Each structure stands twice: as C-alpha cells, then as structure tokens.
Amino acid sequence: MSTATATRTDSAPEAAERKGPLRYSRQEMMAIAAGREIKDGELAIFGVGLSLLAGYFAQEHHGPNIRSMTEGGIYGATPIGGLPWGIECNRLSANATSFTGGLDALGFLVASGRVDVGLIGAAQVDKFGNVNTTGIWDRSKGQGLGDTYTPPKTRLTGAGGANDIASGAKRTVIMVTHEAKRFVDKVDYISSPGYLEGGDARARYGFVGGGPSAIVTTLGILRPHPETKEFWLDAYYPFSSVDEVRAQTGWDLKVFRHASMIAPPTVAEVEALRRVDVTGMLRREK
C-alpha cells in the first residue's frame, strides 16, 4: 500500500450527483459504505443505531450467510418494521435464530477474539481511531480529566458494549457524521480504544482485537497507516472531495496516493437498505 501523500485537491461535484435519478442521502451513503466492509460468512456484531442498519443492510444485500448478532445477544435476526430502538428490541427478537445475553455476546464471543467484525458509532474520534461517547469537556475553560475526573460540559450516552467490541473484535468499523467538531486530534476521553497513541500500542497493552480497519463517514472513508496507525483518507464520495474531507477534520489529514472516489450506491443497494430502513430515517438529511 502506498503511503505517499496525494497532491490532488478535487473540487466537489454538483450535489445533483446525489439527487439525480437515484436519490440518496449522505447518511444512506455512509450506511452502504459501512455495510460493504462486511463480508459474507463473517461473524459480525452490531452496536446500536446506524450500525444496526449498516449491518443488516449487508445481510440483506450481499451477505445472506453473515452470522449477525447484537451486543445484547440476539443472533441471526432480520429487523421487522424499521430501525430497532435498541439491541434487544422486539423488531429484532421477533424472528431471531437464537438468544443469549450480553455476557455471552461480549464477554465470551467478542472478548475471546472470535468475532470477525464489529460496527460501532462515535460522537468524537481522533487520528488514531479512539472513540469518545462519554462526554465533552470545555478545554477553553480549563476543564479536563487530568488526574481527577470532573463533570463534562456535555454528558454523552456512554460506551455500552462498544468498548468490548473495539477491544476484542478482529477488526472494527467506526461510523460517524463527518464534522470538524467530531474529528479531533485527541479525544477528550477514550470510551472505546482505537490504536491509543498509535504504532504498536494495542499490542503493548495486550488487546485481543485488531483495532479499527476503517472510519466510515458521511464524506468518505479513512483507513489506518500500516505503520503509524494514524488515519488517512482512503476514499471520498461522489458528492464530496479531498478538500471538503480535510476541511472537516481536526487534524492534518494525510491522503493515500491511491485515494479516489468510491462507487456510488447501486439501485440494488439503495433498495436493500430501504427494505431495512422502512421508516426512512436515513433519508432525512443530517
């Protein structure tokens, strides 16, 4: 893999590429791009929210043999009637193959390194793929963790099972809306570990899982440099550009020489996603 920085600075194509005969939203593009990361036959675990839709899209479109489960232990389900409200929603459990619990799903299958891929979301992510879903601290007012925990300016939902997935899955795919305030040089708090301070840090700390293989966003896809583990731009969408992605990233984002425009959704992909997202949640632009 070439790691030389590209010098190209493509300008963004007209938004009509996204709103032409085949209309799709940025959220739908992100879900489809994330779903493409899952291979048929893999054991995959999905977190809550958008990661559920991306995972079940993959199962619906190209992965009928994906062995899917939620962090709550629902195995082999297909969502019924729209986005599940949670990992144990009856929209999932209604037609699941089998049931267990979070202790088995996270503490046995994920923690032992048996899970091929996990999908998780993020409120804040940094250049080494560390995820924060705990809180946002106001650094301008001297707030921060330091040696003593202080209440955050904004309390977030917490890690849930994402920490287990990020720690134990063979690889992790992170999904997040691409905004400068979310893409920071260093997260305020590591709720779910990426590559920590980079390099071989995960190995030194003894993590079973391999770490994040991609950060899939509403503007493109970032992947880790094979040596430093810093995330570089790997691909952008028909409606975005290298310039836009870099402008919305809070660190000096480098670009792989091979970085190029990712294939737009096909009709079959959009139709498959909307069979899962029957309420049209992803069609509402964020």
Side-chain angles (χ1 to χ4, degrees):
M1 178 185 293
S2 171
T3 57
T5 304
T7 57
R8 60 194 295 178
T9 55
D10 306 72
S11 59
E14 292 296 324
E17 283 204 51
R18 180 164 52 93
K19 297 187 176 181
L22 179 60
R23 299 168 67 92
Y24 59 93
S25 72
R26 293 183 179 220
Q27 295 283 326
E28 287 181 309
M29 181 75 252
M30 175 172 64
I32 288 170
R36 290 172 177 171
E37 298 287 316
I38 308 173
K39 302 178 182 67
D40 194 22
E42 288 190 311
L43 177 58
I45 186 166
F46 313 140
V48 298
L50 292 177
S51 60
L52 283 171
L53 286 179
Y56 288 119
F57 152 74
Q59 183 174 279
E60 175 74 16
H61 177 257
H62 61 265
N65 300 306
I66 289 172
R67 294 166 293 153
S68 63
M69 65 177 182
T70 72
E71 59 191 64
I74 296 177
Y75 182 89
T78 301
I80 296 173
L83 177 69
W85 54 260
I87 56 175
E88 296 176 342
C89 176
N90 57 12
R91 290 175 175 174
L92 289 173
S93 59
N95 64 354
T97 300
S98 61
F99 303 86
T100 179
L103 183 61
D104 286 333
L106 299 172
F108 171 59
L109 289 173
V110 177
S112 63
R114 288 176 168 84
V115 172
D116 295 306
V117 58
L119 268 65
I120 63 172
Q124 192 182 60
V125 65
D126 68 22
K127 63 183 179 181
F128 293 122
N130 301 303
V131 167
N132 175 21
T133 52
T134 298
I136 304 298
W137 281 259
D138 191 342
R139 301 296 185 180
S140 67
K141 295 183 179 180
Q143 293 183 2
L145 295 179
D147 295 327
T148 304
Y149 180 89
T150 58
K153 175 185 177 182
T154 304
R155 176 78 65 182
L156 303 175
T157 58
N163 178 285
D164 303 85
I165 295 170
S167 298
K170 293 177 183 177
R171 71 181 192 281
T172 308
V173 176
I174 300 166
M175 298 177 65
V176 58
T177 299
H178 208 131
E179 301 170 331
K181 67 180 181 180
R182 296 176 182 270
F183 280 73
V184 296
D185 187 69
K186 184 177 181 180
V187 291
D188 290 358
Y189 185 92
I190 298 179
S191 309
S192 303
Y195 294 104
L196 304 171
E197 64 267 25
D200 64 351
R202 283 185 68 96
R204 287 190 282 108
Y205 284 99
F207 283 98
V208 173
S213 60
I215 302 175
V216 180
T217 84
T218 48
L219 295 179
I221 301 174
L222 283 61
R223 298 191 192 276
H225 183 281
E227 296 175 1
T228 67
K229 301 304 181 183
E230 181 177 331
F231 275 80
W232 289 25
L233 180 62
D234 185 72
Y236 52 94
Y237 300 146
F239 51 82
S240 64
S241 68
V242 171
D243 286 342
E244 183 180 9
V245 177
R246 295 192 72 188
Q248 292 298 324
T249 302
W251 66 87
D252 183 16
L253 180 66
K254 299 177 181 67
V255 183
F256 284 114
R257 187 175 296 279
H258 63 255
S260 59
M261 184 185 298
I262 194 172
T266 64
V267 172
E269 284 178 323
V270 172
E271 289 177 347
L273 177 62
R274 291 177 181 175
R275 284 196 295 272
V276 176
D277 182 28
V278 295
T279 60
M281 188 194 82
L282 296 183
R283 277 168 269 176
R284 306 173 198 129
E285 278 292 7
K286 299 294 189 290

PDB file of all heavy atoms in Angstrom, residues 51-70:
ATOM      1  N   SER A  51     -25.321   1.668  13.138  1.00  0.00           N
ATOM      2  CA  SER A  51     -24.539   0.458  12.884  1.00  0.00           C
ATOM      3  C   SER A  51     -25.447  -0.756  12.683  1.00  0.00           C
ATOM      4  O   SER A  51     -25.104  -1.674  11.932  1.00  0.00           O
ATOM      5  CB  SER A  51     -23.544   0.201  14.018  1.00  0.00           C
ATOM      6  OG  SER A  51     -24.195   0.040  15.251  1.00  0.00           O
ATOM      7  N   LEU A  52     -26.612  -0.761  13.332  1.00  0.00           N
ATOM      8  CA  LEU A  52     -27.580  -1.836  13.088  1.00  0.00           C
ATOM      9  C   LEU A  52     -28.056  -1.807  11.644  1.00  0.00           C
ATOM     10  O   LEU A  52     -28.129  -2.850  10.974  1.00  0.00           O
ATOM     11  CB  LEU A  52     -28.780  -1.698  14.028  1.00  0.00           C
ATOM     12  CG  LEU A  52     -28.612  -2.137  15.482  1.00  0.00           C
ATOM     13  CD1 LEU A  52     -29.836  -1.719  16.287  1.00  0.00           C
ATOM     14  CD2 LEU A  52     -28.392  -3.635  15.594  1.00  0.00           C
ATOM     15  N   LEU A  53     -28.369  -0.609  11.141  1.00  0.00           N
ATOM     16  CA  LEU A  53     -28.854  -0.513   9.768  1.00  0.00           C
ATOM     17  C   LEU A  53     -27.779  -0.903   8.765  1.00  0.00           C
ATOM     18  O   LEU A  53     -28.053  -1.600   7.791  1.00  0.00           O
ATOM     19  CB  LEU A  53     -29.343   0.908   9.487  1.00  0.00           C
ATOM     20  CG  LEU A  53     -30.676   1.302  10.117  1.00  0.00           C
ATOM     21  CD1 LEU A  53     -31.025   2.740   9.774  1.00  0.00           C
ATOM     22  CD2 LEU A  53     -31.786   0.373   9.676  1.00  0.00           C
ATOM     23  N   ALA A  54     -26.546  -0.463   8.989  1.00  0.00           N
ATOM     24  CA  ALA A  54     -25.463  -0.821   8.080  1.00  0.00           C
ATOM     25  C   ALA A  54     -25.225  -2.323   8.080  1.00  0.00           C
ATOM     26  O   ALA A  54     -25.023  -2.938   7.025  1.00  0.00           O
ATOM     27  CB  ALA A  54     -24.180  -0.082   8.480  1.00  0.00           C
ATOM     28  N   GLY A  55     -25.262  -2.922   9.262  1.00  0.00           N
ATOM     29  CA  GLY A  55     -25.033  -4.359   9.358  1.00  0.00           C
ATOM     30  C   GLY A  55     -26.126  -5.173   8.711  1.00  0.00           C
ATOM     31  O   GLY A  55     -25.855  -6.118   7.948  1.00  0.00           O
ATOM     32  N   TYR A  56     -27.370  -4.809   8.974  1.00  0.00           N
ATOM     33  CA  TYR A  56     -28.472  -5.583   8.400  1.00  0.00           C
ATOM     34  C   TYR A  56     -28.666  -5.274   6.916  1.00  0.00           C
ATOM     35  O   TYR A  56     -29.193  -6.108   6.178  1.00  0.00           O
ATOM     36  CB  TYR A  56     -29.746  -5.356   9.211  1.00  0.00           C
ATOM     37  CG  TYR A  56     -29.675  -6.052  10.551  1.00  0.00           C
ATOM     38  CD1 TYR A  56     -29.739  -5.341  11.747  1.00  0.00           C
ATOM     39  CD2 TYR A  56     -29.510  -7.433  10.631  1.00  0.00           C
ATOM     40  CE1 TYR A  56     -29.631  -5.981  12.968  1.00  0.00           C
ATOM     41  CE2 TYR A  56     -29.407  -8.082  11.845  1.00  0.00           C
ATOM     42  CZ  TYR A  56     -29.461  -7.347  13.019  1.00  0.00           C
ATOM     43  OH  TYR A  56     -29.345  -7.988  14.231  1.00  0.00           O
ATOM     44  N   PHE A  57     -28.206  -4.107   6.469  1.00  0.00           N
ATOM     45  CA  PHE A  57     -28.151  -3.858   5.023  1.00  0.00           C
ATOM     46  C   PHE A  57     -27.209  -4.861   4.363  1.00  0.00           C
ATOM     47  O   PHE A  57     -27.530  -5.440   3.319  1.00  0.00           O
ATOM     48  CB  PHE A  57     -27.667  -2.439   4.727  1.00  0.00           C
ATOM     49  CG  PHE A  57     -26.960  -2.322   3.407  1.00  0.00           C
ATOM     50  CD1 PHE A  57     -27.672  -2.362   2.212  1.00  0.00           C
ATOM     51  CD2 PHE A  57     -25.571  -2.228   3.340  1.00  0.00           C
ATOM     52  CE1 PHE A  57     -27.014  -2.299   0.980  1.00  0.00           C
ATOM     53  CE2 PHE A  57     -24.908  -2.158   2.130  1.00  0.00           C
ATOM     54  CZ  PHE A  57     -25.636  -2.195   0.940  1.00  0.00           C
ATOM     55  N   ALA A  58     -26.036  -5.061   4.949  1.00  0.00           N
ATOM     56  CA  ALA A  58     -25.068  -6.011   4.382  1.00  0.00           C
ATOM     57  C   ALA A  58     -25.667  -7.412   4.303  1.00  0.00           C
ATOM     58  O   ALA A  58     -25.505  -8.120   3.305  1.00  0.00           O
ATOM     59  CB  ALA A  58     -23.795  -6.026   5.225  1.00  0.00           C
ATOM     60  N   GLN A  59     -26.384  -7.797   5.334  1.00  0.00           N
ATOM     61  CA  GLN A  59     -27.021  -9.110   5.358  1.00  0.00           C
ATOM     62  C   GLN A  59     -28.089  -9.219   4.280  1.00  0.00           C
ATOM     63  O   GLN A  59     -28.226 -10.246   3.617  1.00  0.00           O
ATOM     64  CB  GLN A  59     -27.636  -9.327   6.746  1.00  0.00           C
ATOM     65  CG  GLN A  59     -28.281 -10.676   6.962  1.00  0.00           C
ATOM     66  CD  GLN A  59     -28.729 -10.820   8.411  1.00  0.00           C
ATOM     67  OE1 GLN A  59     -27.945 -11.129   9.292  1.00  0.00           O
ATOM     68  NE2 GLN A  59     -30.018 -10.567   8.658  1.00  0.00           N
ATOM     69  N   GLU A  60     -28.825  -8.146   4.076  1.00  0.00           N
ATOM     70  CA  GLU A  60     -29.903  -8.131   3.093  1.00  0.00           C
ATOM     71  C   GLU A  60     -29.371  -8.096   1.662  1.00  0.00           C
ATOM     72  O   GLU A  60     -29.938  -8.726   0.761  1.00  0.00           O
ATOM     73  CB  GLU A  60     -30.796  -6.905   3.332  1.00  0.00           C
ATOM     74  CG  GLU A  60     -31.900  -6.684   2.313  1.00  0.00           C
ATOM     75  CD  GLU A  60     -33.050  -7.657   2.455  1.00  0.00           C
ATOM     76  OE1 GLU A  60     -33.147  -8.317   3.521  1.00  0.00           O
ATOM     77  OE2 GLU A  60     -33.856  -7.767   1.521  1.00  0.00           O
ATOM     78  N   HIS A  61     -28.269  -7.362   1.439  1.00  0.00           N
ATOM     79  CA  HIS A  61     -27.806  -7.125   0.067  1.00  0.00           C
ATOM     80  C   HIS A  61     -26.820  -8.167  -0.445  1.00  0.00           C
ATOM     81  O   HIS A  61     -27.036  -8.767  -1.497  1.00  0.00           O
ATOM     82  CB  HIS A  61     -27.172  -5.736  -0.040  1.00  0.00           C
ATOM     83  CG  HIS A  61     -26.603  -5.458  -1.392  1.00  0.00           C
ATOM     84  ND1 HIS A  61     -25.249  -5.506  -1.646  1.00  0.00           N
ATOM     85  CD2 HIS A  61     -27.196  -5.154  -2.580  1.00  0.00           C
ATOM     86  CE1 HIS A  61     -25.032  -5.250  -2.924  1.00  0.00           C
ATOM     87  NE2 HIS A  61     -26.191  -5.023  -3.506  1.00  0.00           N
ATOM     88  N   HIS A  62     -25.719  -8.388   0.266  1.00  0.00           N
ATOM     89  CA  HIS A  62     -24.666  -9.242  -0.281  1.00  0.00           C
ATOM     90  C   HIS A  62     -24.164 -10.310   0.670  1.00  0.00           C
ATOM     91  O   HIS A  62     -23.278 -11.079   0.306  1.00  0.00           O
ATOM     92  CB  HIS A  62     -23.462  -8.374  -0.704  1.00  0.00           C
ATOM     93  CG  HIS A  62     -22.845  -7.608   0.439  1.00  0.00           C
ATOM     94  ND1 HIS A  62     -23.188  -6.311   0.712  1.00  0.00           N
ATOM     95  CD2 HIS A  62     -21.923  -7.952   1.374  1.00  0.00           C
ATOM     96  CE1 HIS A  62     -22.498  -5.887   1.761  1.00  0.00           C
ATOM     97  NE2 HIS A  62     -21.728  -6.866   2.183  1.00  0.00           N
ATOM     98  N   GLY A  63     -24.747 -10.371   1.881  1.00  0.00           N
ATOM     99  CA  GLY A  63     -24.235 -11.312   2.864  1.00  0.00           C
ATOM    100  C   GLY A  63     -25.294 -12.192   3.502  1.00  0.00           C
ATOM    101  O   GLY A  63     -25.472 -12.142   4.727  1.00  0.00           O
ATOM    102  N   PRO A  64     -25.985 -13.035   2.732  1.00  0.00           N
ATOM    103  CA  PRO A  64     -27.017 -13.882   3.343  1.00  0.00           C
ATOM    104  C   PRO A  64     -26.461 -14.854   4.380  1.00  0.00           C
ATOM    105  O   PRO A  64     -27.212 -15.359   5.217  1.00  0.00           O
ATOM    106  CB  PRO A  64     -27.608 -14.638   2.142  1.00  0.00           C
ATOM    107  CG  PRO A  64     -26.521 -14.621   1.110  1.00  0.00           C
ATOM    108  CD  PRO A  64     -25.845 -13.298   1.290  1.00  0.00           C
ATOM    109  N   ASN A  65     -25.155 -15.097   4.329  1.00  0.00           N
ATOM    110  CA  ASN A  65     -24.538 -16.021   5.289  1.00  0.00           C
ATOM    111  C   ASN A  65     -23.781 -15.305   6.397  1.00  0.00           C
ATOM    112  O   ASN A  65     -23.032 -15.951   7.146  1.00  0.00           O
ATOM    113  CB  ASN A  65     -23.600 -16.975   4.544  1.00  0.00           C
ATOM    114  CG  ASN A  65     -24.325 -17.796   3.499  1.00  0.00           C
ATOM    115  OD1 ASN A  65     -25.311 -18.468   3.789  1.00  0.00           O
ATOM    116  ND2 ASN A  65     -23.855 -17.723   2.260  1.00  0.00           N
ATOM    117  N   ILE A  66     -23.957 -13.984   6.493  1.00  0.00           N
ATOM    118  CA  ILE A  66     -23.383 -13.269   7.624  1.00  0.00           C
ATOM    119  C   ILE A  66     -24.025 -13.777   8.912  1.00  0.00           C
ATOM    120  O   ILE A  66     -25.246 -13.899   9.003  1.00  0.00           O
ATOM    121  CB  ILE A  66     -23.611 -11.748   7.495  1.00  0.00           C
ATOM    122  CG1 ILE A  66     -22.744 -11.173   6.365  1.00  0.00           C
ATOM    123  CG2 ILE A  66     -23.292 -11.028   8.810  1.00  0.00           C
ATOM    124  CD1 ILE A  66     -23.051  -9.725   6.039  1.00  0.00           C
ATOM    125  N   ARG A  67     -23.210 -14.114   9.882  1.00  0.00           N
ATOM    126  CA  ARG A  67     -23.727 -14.567  11.184  1.00  0.00           C
ATOM    127  C   ARG A  67     -23.797 -13.341  12.088  1.00  0.00           C
ATOM    128  O   ARG A  67     -22.850 -12.982  12.755  1.00  0.00           O
ATOM    129  CB  ARG A  67     -22.793 -15.640  11.753  1.00  0.00           C
ATOM    130  CG  ARG A  67     -22.784 -16.924  10.919  1.00  0.00           C
ATOM    131  CD  ARG A  67     -21.632 -17.826  11.293  1.00  0.00           C
ATOM    132  NE  ARG A  67     -20.343 -17.247  10.930  1.00  0.00           N
ATOM    133  CZ  ARG A  67     -19.195 -17.520  11.553  1.00  0.00           C
ATOM    134  NH1 ARG A  67     -19.185 -18.337  12.593  1.00  0.00           N
ATOM    135  NH2 ARG A  67     -18.075 -16.968  11.145  1.00  0.00           N
ATOM    136  N   SER A  68     -24.949 -12.705  12.089  1.00  0.00           N
ATOM    137  CA  SER A  68     -25.112 -11.419  12.754  1.00  0.00           C
ATOM    138  C   SER A  68     -25.602 -11.570  14.186  1.00  0.00           C
ATOM    139  O   SER A  68     -26.359 -12.481  14.513  1.00  0.00           O
ATOM    140  CB  SER A  68     -26.098 -10.557  11.964  1.00  0.00           C
ATOM    141  OG  SER A  68     -27.373 -11.167  11.958  1.00  0.00           O
ATOM    142  N   MET A  69     -25.142 -10.664  15.037  1.00  0.00           N
ATOM    143  CA  MET A  69     -25.664 -10.617  16.401  1.00  0.00           C
ATOM    144  C   MET A  69     -25.541  -9.204  16.937  1.00  0.00           C
ATOM    145  O   MET A  69     -24.755  -8.397  16.435  1.00  0.00           O
ATOM    146  CB  MET A  69     -24.924 -11.603  17.311  1.00  0.00           C
ATOM    147  CG  MET A  69     -23.462 -11.293  17.533  1.00  0.00           C
ATOM    148  SD  MET A  69     -22.717 -12.470  18.688  1.00  0.00           S
ATOM    149  CE  MET A  69     -21.051 -11.826  18.797  1.00  0.00           C
ATOM    150  N   THR A  70     -26.331  -8.906  17.941  1.00  0.00           N
ATOM    151  CA  THR A  70     -26.252  -7.622  18.615  1.00  0.00           C
ATOM    152  C   THR A  70     -25.458  -7.789  19.894  1.00  0.00           C
ATOM    153  O   THR A  70     -25.238  -8.908  20.372  1.00  0.00           O
ATOM    154  CB  THR A  70     -27.644  -7.076  18.964  1.00  0.00           C
ATOM    155  OG1 THR A  70     -28.199  -7.861  20.036  1.00  0.00           O
ATOM    156  CG2 THR A  70     -28.578  -7.119  17.763  1.00  0.00           C
TER     157      THR A  70
END
